[in-house]
Amino acid sequence: MKLLLTGGAGYIGSHTALLLLQRGYDVIIYDSFVNSSYKVINAIKSYLDADGIDYKLKTIKGDIRDKSSLDKIFKDSIKEGNAIHAVIHFAGLKSVSESVKYPLNYWDVNVCGTKNLLEIMKENECYSMVFSSSATIYGLTNSVPISEDQKISPINPYGKTKVAIENMLCDLFKSNMNKWKICSLRYFNPVGAHPSGLIGEDPIGIPSNLFPYITQVAIRRINLLKVFGDNWDTEDGSGVRDYIHIMDLSEGHIDAIGFLMSKESIYEVINLGSGKGYSVFQMIREFELSTGCEIPFLIEARRDGDVANNFADISKAENLLGWSPKRSLKQICIDGWNWQRNNPQGYT
């Protein structure tokens, strides 16, 4: 089976691509490399070559707003006698703070780019998609665990673009329920790295998420960790979030592809998280215990837009996909540190 991974060189895309290739899928990675590095492709190949795995991987540089480039990928695959069966759509801009500064850019890339992709898929009779959505769409809620039927109320342009895309996908499915098979995966907080240490998370600039911030403090790229509030209504006063190992998340995509292929037609939205909440202080303590690294931190005032608790109800993923996370918080810390220690400056 041949799959197209838009944004396949990114953090989540690269880990999913590696797993797919290990399991015998043909993979085309289509990426602009604006927020990713070509070195991740070399790392994937290096790992597979060392493991003696025979794989089929094609990498194409391009933008999802470029319809002619997308169309060529599908038509070339048809000419080769091996048409693309499904798309895993990772491509898009993902910084919450940047989306506030440059909303038009986010609507253009995320929403218009997805519209282009769907039009090309339809023209080339490829009707199956797994879409990378986000728990950001739930907005400010302390009602946990968060299930898929909870109110959608994003508070930033990034989250709003994800809602717009989900609405587009739902409308498209309803317009032709005999053909489309679509699964929208709402991620919580992917963390960690491949256990080989060859691929991992490499955020541009100062990390906006907790875990890469911790690993960069551990490697001394950053002096100390800022903890925003120690007076939340939680067990230890720090904010609680749902952190899921990147390999568990990647396996969720493979299970989602299998789920779609087993159906004649379907549209589903599904949470992918650990189903547990971990506080900032818990994350710091576990990282220190698992790695032996000290993480100095400074308590600062709460940030606007934060909530005390946020974690997923993953029962739908368990029931529909037969998926559940397998890796522990300790494994997250070990694998994330292994990547950062082996790549102190990331892919650069």
Short mmCIF file of all heavy atoms in Angstrom, two decimals, residues 1 16-26 48 53-55 247 250-255 326-327:
data_model
loop_
_atom_site.label_atom_id
_atom_site.label_comp_id
_atom_site.label_asym_id
_atom_site.label_seq_id
_atom_site.Cartn_x
_atom_site.Cartn_y
_atom_site.Cartn_z
N MET A 1 0.85 -1.20 0.00
CA MET A 1 0.00 0.00 0.00
C MET A 1 0.88 1.24 0.00
O MET A 1 1.83 1.33 0.77
CB MET A 1 -0.92 0.01 1.23
CG MET A 1 -1.84 1.21 1.30
SD MET A 1 -2.81 1.28 2.81
CE MET A 1 -3.87 -0.14 2.59
N THR A 16 6.18 8.66 12.27
CA THR A 16 5.17 7.81 11.63
C THR A 16 5.72 7.21 10.35
O THR A 16 5.49 6.02 10.06
CB THR A 16 3.91 8.64 11.34
OG1 THR A 16 3.44 9.25 12.56
CG2 THR A 16 2.79 7.76 10.78
N ALA A 17 6.46 7.99 9.58
CA ALA A 17 7.05 7.49 8.34
C ALA A 17 7.97 6.30 8.61
O ALA A 17 7.93 5.29 7.90
CB ALA A 17 7.81 8.60 7.63
N LEU A 18 8.79 6.42 9.64
CA LEU A 18 9.72 5.35 9.98
C LEU A 18 8.97 4.06 10.32
O LEU A 18 9.32 2.97 9.83
CB LEU A 18 10.61 5.78 11.14
CG LEU A 18 11.64 4.77 11.65
CD1 LEU A 18 12.48 4.21 10.53
CD2 LEU A 18 12.52 5.39 12.72
N LEU A 19 7.93 4.17 11.12
CA LEU A 19 7.14 2.99 11.47
C LEU A 19 6.47 2.38 10.25
O LEU A 19 6.43 1.16 10.09
CB LEU A 19 6.09 3.35 12.52
CG LEU A 19 6.54 3.48 13.97
CD1 LEU A 19 5.33 3.75 14.87
CD2 LEU A 19 7.27 2.24 14.45
N LEU A 20 5.92 3.22 9.39
CA LEU A 20 5.25 2.72 8.19
C LEU A 20 6.23 1.97 7.29
O LEU A 20 5.92 0.90 6.76
CB LEU A 20 4.63 3.88 7.41
CG LEU A 20 3.38 4.52 8.02
CD1 LEU A 20 3.07 5.85 7.36
CD2 LEU A 20 2.18 3.59 7.92
N LEU A 21 7.41 2.52 7.11
CA LEU A 21 8.42 1.88 6.28
C LEU A 21 8.87 0.55 6.88
O LEU A 21 9.08 -0.44 6.16
CB LEU A 21 9.61 2.81 6.08
CG LEU A 21 9.31 4.05 5.23
CD1 LEU A 21 10.39 5.10 5.41
CD2 LEU A 21 9.18 3.67 3.75
N GLN A 22 9.01 0.51 8.19
CA GLN A 22 9.36 -0.74 8.87
C GLN A 22 8.31 -1.82 8.62
O GLN A 22 8.63 -3.01 8.57
CB GLN A 22 9.49 -0.51 10.38
CG GLN A 22 10.80 0.12 10.80
CD GLN A 22 10.89 0.24 12.31
OE1 GLN A 22 10.08 0.93 12.94
NE2 GLN A 22 11.85 -0.44 12.91
N ARG A 23 7.06 -1.39 8.48
CA ARG A 23 5.96 -2.34 8.34
C ARG A 23 5.59 -2.63 6.88
O ARG A 23 4.57 -3.25 6.60
CB ARG A 23 4.76 -1.84 9.12
CG ARG A 23 5.08 -1.70 10.61
CD ARG A 23 3.89 -1.35 11.45
NE ARG A 23 4.29 -1.07 12.83
CZ ARG A 23 3.45 -0.95 13.84
NH1 ARG A 23 2.14 -1.09 13.63
NH2 ARG A 23 3.88 -0.68 15.06
N GLY A 24 6.43 -2.16 5.95
CA GLY A 24 6.26 -2.55 4.57
C GLY A 24 5.44 -1.63 3.69
O GLY A 24 5.16 -1.97 2.53
N TYR A 25 5.02 -0.47 4.20
CA TYR A 25 4.28 0.48 3.37
C TYR A 25 5.23 1.23 2.44
O TYR A 25 6.38 1.50 2.80
CB TYR A 25 3.56 1.52 4.25
CG TYR A 25 2.38 1.00 5.03
CD1 TYR A 25 2.55 0.41 6.28
CD2 TYR A 25 1.09 1.12 4.53
CE1 TYR A 25 1.47 -0.05 7.01
CE2 TYR A 25 0.00 0.67 5.26
CZ TYR A 25 0.19 0.08 6.50
OH TYR A 25 -0.88 -0.38 7.21
N ASP A 26 4.75 1.55 1.23
CA ASP A 26 5.45 2.49 0.36
C ASP A 26 5.08 3.90 0.83
O ASP A 26 3.89 4.18 1.05
CB ASP A 26 5.01 2.33 -1.10
CG ASP A 26 5.49 1.03 -1.71
OD1 ASP A 26 6.12 0.24 -0.99
OD2 ASP A 26 5.21 0.79 -2.90
N LEU A 48 16.97 2.47 8.84
CA LEU A 48 16.42 1.33 8.10
C LEU A 48 17.52 0.53 7.42
O LEU A 48 17.47 -0.71 7.39
CB LEU A 48 15.41 1.83 7.07
CG LEU A 48 14.15 2.48 7.63
CD1 LEU A 48 13.35 3.15 6.51
CD2 LEU A 48 13.29 1.47 8.37
N ILE A 53 16.45 -3.36 6.41
CA ILE A 53 15.06 -3.35 5.95
C ILE A 53 15.00 -2.86 4.51
O ILE A 53 15.57 -1.83 4.15
CB ILE A 53 14.20 -2.45 6.86
CG1 ILE A 53 14.14 -3.05 8.27
CG2 ILE A 53 12.80 -2.28 6.29
CD1 ILE A 53 13.46 -2.16 9.28
N ASP A 54 14.32 -3.60 3.66
CA ASP A 54 14.07 -3.19 2.29
C ASP A 54 12.85 -2.27 2.28
O ASP A 54 11.77 -2.66 2.71
CB ASP A 54 13.81 -4.43 1.42
CG ASP A 54 13.64 -4.07 -0.05
OD1 ASP A 54 14.16 -3.02 -0.46
OD2 ASP A 54 12.97 -4.83 -0.77
N TYR A 55 13.02 -1.05 1.84
CA TYR A 55 11.94 -0.08 1.95
C TYR A 55 11.83 0.75 0.68
O TYR A 55 12.76 0.83 -0.12
CB TYR A 55 12.18 0.85 3.15
CG TYR A 55 13.47 1.64 3.08
CD1 TYR A 55 13.51 2.91 2.51
CD2 TYR A 55 14.66 1.12 3.58
CE1 TYR A 55 14.68 3.64 2.44
CE2 TYR A 55 15.85 1.83 3.52
CZ TYR A 55 15.85 3.09 2.95
OH TYR A 55 17.03 3.80 2.86
N MET A 247 6.06 7.67 19.85
CA MET A 247 5.93 6.37 19.18
C MET A 247 4.52 5.80 19.36
O MET A 247 3.98 5.15 18.46
CB MET A 247 6.98 5.39 19.71
CG MET A 247 8.41 5.84 19.49
SD MET A 247 8.77 6.22 17.75
CE MET A 247 8.62 4.60 17.01
N SER A 250 2.43 7.74 16.90
CA SER A 250 2.67 7.28 15.53
C SER A 250 1.95 5.96 15.26
O SER A 250 1.38 5.77 14.17
CB SER A 250 4.18 7.12 15.30
OG SER A 250 4.84 8.37 15.43
N GLU A 251 1.97 5.07 16.22
CA GLU A 251 1.25 3.81 16.06
C GLU A 251 -0.25 4.04 15.92
O GLU A 251 -0.94 3.30 15.21
CB GLU A 251 1.55 2.88 17.23
CG GLU A 251 2.97 2.33 17.20
CD GLU A 251 3.36 1.57 18.45
OE1 GLU A 251 2.56 1.57 19.42
OE2 GLU A 251 4.46 0.99 18.47
N GLY A 252 -0.75 5.09 16.54
CA GLY A 252 -2.16 5.44 16.40
C GLY A 252 -2.53 5.77 14.96
O GLY A 252 -3.63 5.46 14.51
N HIS A 253 -1.60 6.38 14.22
CA HIS A 253 -1.86 6.69 12.81
C HIS A 253 -1.94 5.43 11.97
O HIS A 253 -2.76 5.33 11.05
CB HIS A 253 -0.76 7.60 12.26
CG HIS A 253 -0.79 8.98 12.82
ND1 HIS A 253 -0.31 9.29 14.09
CD2 HIS A 253 -1.27 10.15 12.32
CE1 HIS A 253 -0.49 10.57 14.32
NE2 HIS A 253 -1.07 11.12 13.26
N ILE A 254 -1.08 4.48 12.26
CA ILE A 254 -1.10 3.22 11.51
C ILE A 254 -2.40 2.47 11.79
O ILE A 254 -3.02 1.91 10.89
CB ILE A 254 0.13 2.37 11.86
CG1 ILE A 254 1.41 3.13 11.46
CG2 ILE A 254 0.08 1.02 11.18
CD1 ILE A 254 2.69 2.46 11.86
N ASP A 255 -2.83 2.48 13.05
CA ASP A 255 -4.10 1.85 13.39
C ASP A 255 -5.27 2.59 12.72
O ASP A 255 -6.27 1.96 12.32
CB ASP A 255 -4.29 1.82 14.90
CG ASP A 255 -3.33 0.86 15.59
OD1 ASP A 255 -2.85 -0.07 14.93
OD2 ASP A 255 -3.04 1.06 16.78
N LYS A 326 1.33 2.52 25.14
CA LYS A 326 2.06 1.45 25.82
C LYS A 326 3.26 1.96 26.63
O LYS A 326 3.74 1.27 27.52
CB LYS A 326 2.57 0.43 24.80
CG LYS A 326 1.49 -0.18 23.91
CD LYS A 326 2.11 -1.12 22.89
CE LYS A 326 1.05 -1.72 21.96
NZ LYS A 326 0.46 -0.70 21.07
N ARG A 327 3.75 3.14 26.31
CA ARG A 327 5.01 3.60 26.88
C ARG A 327 4.78 4.52 28.07
O ARG A 327 3.88 5.33 28.07
CB ARG A 327 5.85 4.29 25.80
CG ARG A 327 6.27 3.30 24.69
CD ARG A 327 6.64 4.01 23.40
NE ARG A 327 7.00 3.06 22.34
CZ ARG A 327 6.13 2.52 21.50
NH1 ARG A 327 4.83 2.82 21.61
NH2 ARG A 327 6.53 1.68 20.58
#
